[in-house]
């Protein structure tokens, strides 16, 4: 159905204004509103909520600043919360904004930028990432998990 296609393609979201946290909140709010609407349509069409994963649509209808703001861990956590703790998927693999940041026109040479976006997404609590280079991303995320799980200073061993 059209509702399902809209939800699986993520919320288009405008936003992307340069600046501080007010703009960051703006892109999160726009994406949250659009995704929430799509999720509700899918739920009304009969798909159980527990089967839904939200995709904020990194690289779609947002400028570079908007994509970067949305990839901040606090922004992803807020987005999930605004969507009633809907699990999130980030699909930033080899996107054009990575190429622009790294001055790399060849998408196949953007994997290290993708690894960075995947680590940022993981820090934001995202449950799934879509990538092309699974091996590099899996290695980086295993290290991120170990860092996150390590006891803090002064912790009892």
């Amino acid at each position: 159905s059209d509702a399902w296609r809209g939800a699986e393609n993520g919320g288009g979201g405008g936003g992307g204004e340069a600046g501080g946290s007010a703009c960051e909140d703006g892109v999160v709010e726009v994406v949250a509103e659009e995704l929430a609407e799509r999720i509700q349509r899918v739920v009304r069409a009969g798909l159980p909520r527990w089967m839904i994963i939200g995709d904020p649509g990194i690289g779609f209808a947002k400028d570079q600043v908007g994509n970067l703001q949305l990839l901040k861990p606090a922004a992803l956590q807020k987005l999930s919360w605004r969507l009633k703790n809907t699990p999130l998927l980030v699909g930033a693999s080899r996107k054009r904004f990575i190429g622009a940041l790294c001055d790399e026109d060849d998408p196949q040479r953007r994997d290290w930028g993708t690894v960075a976006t995947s680590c940022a997404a993981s820090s934001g609590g995202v449950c799934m990432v879509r990538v092309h280079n699974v091996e590099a991303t899996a290695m980086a995320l295993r290290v991120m998990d170990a860092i996150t799980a390590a006891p803090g200073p002064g912790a009892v061993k």
Side-chain angles (χ1 to χ4, degrees):
S1 86
D2 287 338
W4 175 244
R5 267 191 291 283
E8 74 179 354
N9 289 331
E17 303 160 7
S21 64
C23 294
E24 185 177 314
D25 287 345
V27 72
V28 170
E29 290 304 316
V30 169
V31 171
E33 287 175 20
E34 291 183 6
L35 258 179
E37 177 188 320
R38 287 178 170 91
I39 289 169
Q40 285 307 314
R41 280 194 278 160
V42 171
V43 169
R44 283 194 303 269
L47 188 70
R49 188 161 180 91
W50 65 266
M51 294 181 77
I52 297 171
I53 297 176
D55 180 348
I58 301 295
F60 293 97
K62 286 172 260 343
D63 64 10
Q64 184 166 313
V65 172
N67 287 314
L68 294 172
Q69 289 174 335
L70 203 49
L71 281 166
K72 288 185 171 191
L76 289 167
Q77 292 165 356
K78 182 176 181 179
L79 178 60
S80 179
W81 178 80
R82 285 273 285 112
L83 296 172
K84 300 179 181 169
N85 294 317
T86 297
L88 296 177
L89 157 89
V90 165
S93 188
R94 299 180 177 174
K95 294 283 173 120
R96 186 173 292 123
F97 83 95
I98 295 171
L101 288 168
C102 300
D103 195 29
E104 181 55 66
D105 291 333
D106 182 359
Q108 293 186 11
R109 296 181 46 86
R110 298 177 187 163
D111 286 337
W112 297 114
T114 297
V115 168
T117 63
S118 297
C119 288
S122 174
S123 293
V126 165
C127 73
M128 192 179 305
V129 292
R130 183 197 57 77
V131 299
H132 292 87
N133 187 334
V134 174
E135 184 179 7
T137 305
M139 183 183 292
L141 291 176
R142 279 194 299 272
V143 173
M144 285 292 297
D145 284 345
I147 292 167
T148 303
V156 179
K157 293 184 180 182

